[in-house]
Amino acid sequence: MQSLERKSLVKRALVGRAHVYEAAYSQEVIVQRATHDFLTNAFGGRLGEALLAILSAGTLTPEEKTNIERELQRHKTMAAKKTAKKAAVKTAKKAVKKVAKKAPAKKAPAKKAAKKAAPKAPAKKAPAKKAAKKAVKKVAKSAKKVAKKAVKKTVAKKAAPAKKAAPAKKAAPAKKAAPAKKAAPAKKAAPAKKVAKKAAKKAAKK
């Protein structure tokens, strides 16, 4: 038992003073390992030859025959499922390869277009920044001009009443002095007309 424990085939446990040993693996696992070793060593891994040799070694009961037939049918269905899965995987791989071959041809122009567009992108952004700066400067200048005009208008409106107030007081003496000076030229104009009429009459007589 100690040698089996060294091979890790058995587990040991203490129950009081007694040593209790248990199998490390189930019977199915041990049988599978033994049959695999038997097939590889005796028949080179050929399962059909091993089955025929075992059947020829003895006779089978009807129950054993039915069990073997069920197992064979299960293996057939499993094999059919595996072949169907393999066929489906192959068709899927072929479809993926076809799509992969066609996809690069279509994507190549897109990549080239992206590369061509990449160097042009900065060139378009630079004028946009310059235009934005120019627009900001223009707006600032126009705002300054509007502010200056508004300041001038406000100053002019405030200064206008002060200038008009002074002439309002001096207007009365100016009106009195004007008729005295303009009366003399009005009287002198009459002899000039008479002299012109006399000259015209003399010219007409001649």
Side-chain angles (χ1 to χ4, degrees), residues 30-41:
I30 293 167
V31 169
Q32 283 178 359
R33 287 182 181 178
T35 51
H36 180 71
D37 293 337
F38 176 70
L39 282 170
T40 54
N41 295 327

Side-chain angles (χ1 to χ4, degrees), residues 105-133:
K106 292 180 180 179
K107 288 179 181 178
K111 288 181 180 179
K112 289 180 181 178
K115 286 180 181 178
K116 288 180 181 179
K120 290 180 181 179
K124 290 180 180 178
K125 286 180 181 178
K129 289 180 180 179
K130 289 180 181 179
K133 287 180 181 179

Side-chain angles (χ1 to χ4, degrees), residues 64-94:
E64 290 174 348
K65 286 180 181 179
T66 54
N67 291 330
I68 290 168
E69 286 175 357
R70 285 176 187 173
E71 192 68 21
L72 288 171
Q73 189 64 32
R74 189 176 68 82
H75 279 285
K76 284 180 182 179
T77 55
M78 291 291 290
K81 286 180 181 179
K82 284 181 180 179
T83 53
K85 282 181 181 179
K86 285 180 181 179
V89 169
K90 284 181 181 179
T91 52
K93 284 181 179 179
K94 286 180 182 179

Side-chain angles (χ1 to χ4, degrees), residues 129-166:
K129 289 180 180 179
K130 289 180 181 179
K133 287 180 181 179
K134 287 180 181 179
V136 170
K137 286 180 181 179
K138 286 180 181 179
V139 171
K141 286 180 182 179
S142 61
K144 285 180 182 179
K145 287 179 182 179
V146 170
K148 286 180 181 179
K149 286 180 181 179
V151 170
K152 285 180 182 179
K153 285 179 181 180
T154 52
V155 171
K157 284 178 182 179
K158 289 178 181 179
K163 290 180 180 178
K164 288 177 182 177

